[in-house]
Amino acid sequence: MPVSGPEATVLDVSALLTRHEVLRELGERFEAAGHELALVGGPVRDALLGRAVSDLDLATSARPEQVESLVSGWADAVWDVGREFGTIGLRKGDDTVEITTYRTDAYDQDSRKPTVAFGDTLEADLSRRDFTVNALAVRLPGGEFVDAFGGIPDLAVGRLRTPVGAEQSFDDDPLRMMRAARFVAQLGFTPSDDVVAAMTAMADRLEIVSAERVREELVKLVCGAHPVAGLRLLVETGLAERVLPELPALRLERDEHHRHKDVYEHSLTVLEQSIDLEHRLAGDDQPAPADFVVRFAALMHDVGKPRTRRFEDDGTVTFHHHDVVGAKMTRKRMRALRFSNDVTDAVCLLVELHLRFHGYGTGQWTDSAVRRYVRDAGDQLERLHILTRADCTTRNKRKAARLQRTYDDLERRIAELSEAEELASIRPDLDGNRIMEVLGIGPGREVGEAYRFLLDQRMEHGPLGEDAAADLLRTWWAARS
């Protein structure tokens, strides 16, 4: 870890100020007007960790109207959508900056929004930060480093502590408990014992936080470098019961294919293995960004098992239709967390289709079955490839190798058919206008039925050509009449 002592701190801060000239210019403007200004929180932390710094967060003694007056006409753009919380945003050149008045936040017992009170000192403002590693500041324009709560030692060992008592901090803003799990997932940090104890004792307090804020933290956690560690913390502290109850429910179930571990452990393993395959979604020689859709589908793919578990007379356990049930459960959870329809649809489709490959057996699918596999997956086909491959967690090397060969064969057949037939955009051989022309009918329900009939024929037999499709359509129409 790059943080190693005062000299390294000075060097990192100096480099940060050099890279972002806007910080010095803002510092001089505020100093001339008699106001304090400091770079705070995440940008300072990330600079010390050697991570890239993009957005710049500043804190000031100036009130919002004073901030706006100081930057208007100087900045390229100014916005005040965060004025209610004391924040003015601006853009100068390539830099985006948010400047927030020193403040203290607290939640009423039954409120979903924090009450904001402006403060007067940087140290008091830092004391209200979520963790000591985020309670770091650099005064501007001089570059004086401020660490009033021991954030540097905590950063050096990867420890999460709160500047004040953990229970007080989480009572002020319960979402900080989710952030603790998120920082475990993003940065690989370890929470202190008092942080874990407070999260466990105060899990119910998270219920006053809006679904949108919880969702944002969950997405960042799942897309972190170590999501499994963050998810385990959510489960162990009881927070998952409030955020994603389907996950801890899996701990009680035994997976019929992997008796050495329960479905909970299996699901976490599938998540890790899906991450290892994310490179398939990137272009040639491109880094693979975290993909929330495939990761969340991997996490949720077996959530239908607890509801579908059945014990047979011979002692075996079955989970029939857990794919369909799981997709419905996933949709309900994602709607509760206010996910967009597009993201929800993509995740739920993957959950519903994750078992489809197992009907492939040793490759005895017909071409029509392969076409339907591609058609049903739609634009999620590559993600479905990842999820299906990641879902193999058997310790039997021979079985794992056989499954991999079989899926390799399926992908080969998909590629061959795609090259010949453009599977991703399969359409009937006749469009709606041609269907009406052939049958001599106008727009209506019958056109849709005819279209679906021809699509089924296209799936079953491949490209037919217009003449053959028209003949089939006339025969179908006559029989239907």
Side-chain angles (χ1 to χ4, degrees):
M1 190 170 290
V3 176
S4 59
E7 292 183 1
T9 298
V10 172
L11 289 174
D12 287 323
V13 169
S14 175
L16 179 64
L17 298 183
T18 300
R19 284 193 300 271
H20 299 278
E21 183 67 16
V22 66
L23 298 176
R24 180 189 59 78
E25 295 178 15
L26 277 170
E28 291 174 350
R29 295 180 72 87
F30 277 68
E31 185 178 56
H35 302 298
E36 294 179 3
L37 186 69
L39 182 70
V40 296
V44 181
R45 178 202 69 220
D46 288 342
L48 296 175
L49 290 174
R51 292 162 57 93
V53 174
S54 52
D55 294 342
L56 303 172
D57 298 324
L58 280 64
T60 182
S61 59
R63 296 306 190 249
E65 63 275 8
Q66 295 171 317
V67 173
E68 192 169 26
S69 176
L70 281 168
V71 300
S72 294
W74 170 80
D76 298 330
V78 178
W79 53 91
D80 66 350
V81 292
R83 179 184 291 274
E84 179 184 357
F85 300 102
T87 300
I88 301 297
L90 65 90
R91 178 176 52 80
K92 180 69 171 178
D94 295 331
D95 288 313
T96 299
V97 181
E98 288 193 346
I99 306 175
T100 303
T101 302
Y102 296 156
R103 69 188 190 188
T104 57
D105 292 353
Y107 278 78
D108 293 331
Q109 286 298 314
D110 299 318
S111 173
R112 289 182 177 269
K113 295 183 178 180
T115 57
V116 178
F118 294 139
D120 298 312
T121 68
L122 176 60
E123 287 74 11
D125 182 83
L126 294 177
S127 73
R128 56 160 287 278
R129 304 276 161 170
D130 49 8
F131 301 102
T132 60
V133 295
N134 294 328
L136 302 170
V138 178
R139 292 188 184 275
L140 302 173
E144 175 192 352
F145 198 86
V146 180
D147 179 15
F149 301 98
I152 288 294
D154 287 338
L155 202 60
V157 298
R159 178 173 54 221
L160 278 182
R161 285 192 309 115
T162 51
V164 296
E167 291 199 4
Q168 177 186 337
S169 179
F170 296 158
D171 193 55
D172 287 344
D173 185 353
L175 189 66
R176 291 173 178 170
M177 294 184 285
M178 284 293 295
R179 287 201 197 110
R182 188 242 292 185
F183 285 126
V184 168
Q186 281 186 330
L187 302 174
F189 285 5
T190 301
S192 62
D193 291 343
D194 63 322
V195 165
V196 175
M199 291 171 68
T200 305
M202 302 178 66
D204 287 342
R205 190 89 169 100
L206 190 64
E207 294 177 0
I208 71 166
V209 181
S210 69
E212 290 81 1
R213 295 183 75 205
V214 171
R215 178 199 66 220
E216 290 176 5
E217 292 298 326
L218 182 62
V219 170
K220 292 175 182 177
L221 186 161
V222 171
C223 290
H226 316 280
V228 169
L231 292 166
R232 287 191 188 280
L233 181 60
L234 289 183
V235 171
E236 291 164 4
T237 57
L239 285 171
E241 294 284 357
R242 282 80 184 171
V243 176
L244 201 62
E246 296 81 6
L247 182 58
L250 295 176
R251 291 181 299 175
L252 304 179
E253 307 304 320
R254 299 297 296 179
D255 189 313
E256 79 277 24
H257 296 303
H258 311 281
R259 294 186 180 275
H260 57 279
K261 54 191 170 187
D262 58 23
V263 183
Y264 171 72
E265 292 294 338
H266 166 72
S267 297
L268 295 181
T269 300
V270 173
L271 170 57
E272 290 180 321
Q273 294 185 166
S274 72
I275 294 172
D276 292 338
L277 295 171
E278 280 180 333
H279 62 85
R280 294 177 55 127
L281 298 174
D284 294 339
D285 301 323
Q286 296 294 318
D291 188 88
F292 175 78
V293 170
V294 76
R295 291 188 183 198
F296 200 60
L299 183 65
M300 301 292 284
H301 76 285
D302 274 348
V303 295
K305 281 191 171 181
R307 292 190 181 180
T308 58
R309 182 176 64 165
R310 298 291 183 271
F311 295 97
E312 304 298 334
D313 293 339
D314 61 0
T316 59
V317 182
T318 62
F319 300 94
H320 295 313
H321 307 301
H322 77 267
D323 46 349
V324 177
V325 173
K328 292 179 179 178
M329 293 172 62
T330 300
R331 184 174 299 278
K332 181 178 180 181
R333 178 56 48 203
M334 295 185 74
R335 284 178 174 171
L337 290 170
R338 306 291 194 272
F339 277 95
S340 69
N341 290 336
D342 288 346
V343 173
T344 300
D345 290 345
V347 172
C348 293
L349 179 64
L350 293 174
V351 173
E352 184 172 353
L353 294 180
H354 82 273
L355 285 183
R356 183 74 66 86
F357 160 71
H358 294 286
Y360 189 70
T362 57
Q364 61 267 42
W365 273 5
T366 61
D367 284 351
S368 64
V370 175
R371 294 186 191 102
R372 293 180 188 281
Y373 188 81
V374 174
R375 173 76 179 189
D376 291 347
D379 59 2
Q380 299 305 313
L381 180 61
E382 191 59 50
R383 288 188 173 113
L384 182 58
H385 290 334
I386 292 174
L387 176 58
T388 303
R389 288 181 179 276
D391 195 23
C392 175
T393 61
T394 178
R395 291 181 179 178
N396 185 321
K397 293 182 179 180
R398 182 174 298 178
K399 180 179 179 182
R402 176 178 57 78
L403 287 171
Q404 181 173 325
R405 287 194 304 271
T406 304
Y407 205 85
D408 287 343
D409 180 66
L410 174 58
E411 286 202 56
R412 177 189 57 75
R413 291 183 62 191
I414 289 173
E416 291 174 352
L417 282 172
S418 293
E419 183 176 356
E421 304 179 20
E422 298 182 356
L423 291 186
S425 57
I426 284 182
R427 298 289 186 274
D429 294 87
L430 306 179
D431 62 15
N433 290 327
R434 184 77 176 107
I435 288 172
M436 289 187 288
E437 181 182 337
V438 169
L439 298 181
I441 60 175
R445 177 173 54 84
E446 291 87 353
V447 177
E449 293 177 2
Y451 185 93
R452 287 188 290 275
F453 165 74
L454 288 177
L455 180 60
D456 285 340
Q457 297 303 307
R458 172 71 172 79
M459 289 286 187
E460 189 67 29
H461 304 294
L464 300 170
E466 284 198 19
D467 292 342
D471 289 342
L472 277 174
L473 181 61
R474 293 188 186 96
T475 301
W476 170 80
W477 182 254
R480 179 181 180 278
S481 301

